[in-house]
Amino acid sequence: MDEILRKGYLIDIQDALVLVRFETTARMNEVVKIKVGDDLFVSGEVTQIKKGKIAEIQVFESLTGAKIGYEVLFTGKAVTVKLGPGLLTSTYDGLQKPLFDMAKDSSYLGRGVSTIPLHTDTLWDFKPEVNIGDKVKAGDVLGMTKEEKFDFRIFVPFNISKELEITKVVEAGKYTVIDTVVWAKDEQGKEYKLAMSFDWPIKVPLPFVTRSVPTKPIPTGMRIIDALFPLAYGGTVVIPGPFGAGKTVLQHALCKNSDIDIAIIAACGERAGEAVEIFKDFPNLLDKHGNSLLERMCIIANTSSMPVAAREASIFIAIAIGEFYRLQGLDVLLLADSTSRWAQALRELSAKRGDIPGPEAFPMDIPQLIKGLYQRAGVDEGSGGSLAIAGTVSPAGGDFTEPVTKASQDSSGAFLGLSRDLANAKMYPAIDRTKDSYSSYEGFISQEDKNTILAMLKLGESIANSIVLEGRDSITLENFMKYEISRVVDRVFIQQDSFDKIDQQTSEERLALMLENVKSIMNMPLSDEITSHDGMNELFNRIQQAFLDWNRTAENSKEFSLGLKKIQKIINSQTAEAVC
Ligand code: ADP
Ligand code: MG
């Protein structure tokens, strides 16, 4: 069955790009194997076909050892991802090579090593759901297995274009991902052997059964998001922010605390070694239900030793895996950190190629490429699953008008702009609340409450500016009170400590209760008792402290009810005085 590989020869080598003169034909995007030594071949992808039977190839692995004249084999296959049970708990590099041992010794699998991304010795319970004589087509369910706690559908591979008739089915039992479990034939009588896994080209979106619009908000446990800038199942969000503003911490918190089934991380580290940290941190993390986080995760990491083309591919592998779990009927959140690294990889490749550059030397078609990524998010009503995509961007100098941030913003439903000033002031999460951030998704609190809080925060900011310019005592007591209210609301409700065991995660019920108290603070009348700025400041410091103490009590504990009473007592004492 194996096709005879077509051949070519290296005629030019430049880092991650090579030119190859081919003998017969070459196809765009097909995978090639390039000789780099005795019996050692590394992989690449055809990115351009030029006159004179010359193919330009971007290379995924180190080319050390390659020489002009060395042989290149054209495989006829696109860059694919292997999809099947066993992806969860796995950690891969940008070519879906397993990095299982990475956490142990930080070793990196050698180049040219061809490994199967899914363990081939693991046995999975397969329960057939088809019978001999059944007619099936791509995407139909052949049977079921169980991966971690999830029911897992075994599909007719999505690249089969013909209707097939089942000719043989194994008994229910234990099989590996490469064992044939179903035999079928097409109308011409050609035989198909189907296993529990299949290959899928990473740049082609997996189909939806029935696509629908994202409307349901994801409880993320993060108050500023759930209350003010909500995310949606199947939705998209871009998180731009300068270095050190909290992009990675935010993504990890989302992954840990959001009410989702599967989290996929595509990590393209900003700092050297950041990807390795993920392998060290995540295996020990528990989700909010106390279960191992890794059991519902798949991590794709770019190591610093990885060539630029492999970095470019990694985000697509992550998305294809996300789409696959959406087809399993699960709610998936994909976190790509950071997409700027991915865009920089594209920029490097296009510069090497000598393309006419677009703005800031990114490829001209960067907006379309970014749109193409985010468009793969969505809700699949047919399968019952969803894929939400959250991408961080690290714009140079924190400039949100640069091309990658701009294009990402144009392609996504929510925008959480991280602010250098807020991060410097340790006002975490440093998501800007008064200028850039927004969400087009429906959240957990009413639009009216949201508007009131945002307006109050904005007003507080403008009074703060006047205080800086004119001095505190020149501000009327009434305005000073508004400033104090906005400061306290930001401090106790908007800010949240991602590293505190309790505070890091706010349930929907707790959020509602907090909102009630926040509203009582916002509606406090100016009491006659308070006659000075100092007095006002003292009162709000007391409220703030009581609220912060309450934020650190476990929901529904004794301390929780006591803490709540204490806050209400302070607020009520003022309200009562004002009424008298
Ligand atoms: P970035 O990925 O944007 O470069 P990080 O996510 O690595 O930034 O955050 C930098 C540092 O800021 C963290 O190591 C942490 O100390 C602090 N930080 C960020 N977000 C929070 C948060 N929500 N709560 C507490 N500390 C935070
Ligand atoms: Mg980071």
Side-chain angles (χ1 to χ4, degrees), residues 219-424:
T220 66
M222 202 172 288
R223 296 187 289 267
I224 183 168
I225 295 179
D226 292 355
L228 300 182
F229 311 116
L231 309 188
Y233 288 101
T236 46
V237 55
V238 50
I239 308 170
F243 183 74
K247 297 180 294 296
T248 304
V249 172
L250 177 61
Q251 285 218 330
H252 289 193
L254 286 176
C255 182
K256 221 176 138 200
N257 296 321
S258 296
D259 197 357
I260 42 148
D261 297 312
I262 308 283
I264 297 172
I265 291 197
C268 330
E270 300 272 274
R271 287 176 279 122
E274 198 171 78
V276 179
E277 277 168 35
I278 289 184
F279 294 101
K280 297 217 164 102
D281 291 350
F282 274 91
N284 306 317
L285 290 183
L286 299 179
D287 65 13
K288 63 174 180 177
H289 304 295
N291 301 322
S292 157
L293 200 57
L294 212 58
E295 278 169 18
R296 50 187 190 82
M297 280 187 73
C298 177
I299 302 175
I300 294 65
N302 287 324
T303 57
S304 42
S305 54
M306 201 176 277
V308 62
R311 275 191 257 146
E312 201 262 322
S314 64
I315 203 155
F316 292 100
I317 289 187
I319 293 180
I321 293 174
E323 291 172 329
F324 183 58
Y325 282 102
R326 173 172 63 204
L327 282 164
Q328 297 293 349
L330 299 174
D331 290 317
V332 186
L333 174 62
L334 170 85
L335 305 150
D337 184 22
S338 104
T339 58
S340 295
R341 286 278 164 193
W342 168 78
Q344 281 156 13
L346 287 171
R347 176 160 71 182
E348 264 181 60
L349 289 167
S350 106
K352 285 206 175 83
R353 204 174 286 145
D355 294 346
I356 299 168
E360 299 195 17
F362 285 107
M364 283 286 202
D365 56 350
I366 197 88
Q368 288 81 341
L369 294 169
I370 289 175
K371 196 166 190 186
L373 292 183
Y374 284 101
Q375 271 176 344
R376 292 176 70 170
V379 180
D380 190 345
E381 217 173 79
S383 72
S386 66
L387 168 63
I389 299 184
T392 68
V393 190
S394 17
D399 168 19
F400 291 173
T401 61
E402 62 85 42
V404 179
T405 312
K406 192 77 200 46
S408 307
Q409 180 172 11
D410 291 346
S411 316
S412 49
F415 186 91
L416 304 178
L418 291 173
S419 143
R420 159 72 59 223
D421 291 345
L422 291 173
N424 287 347

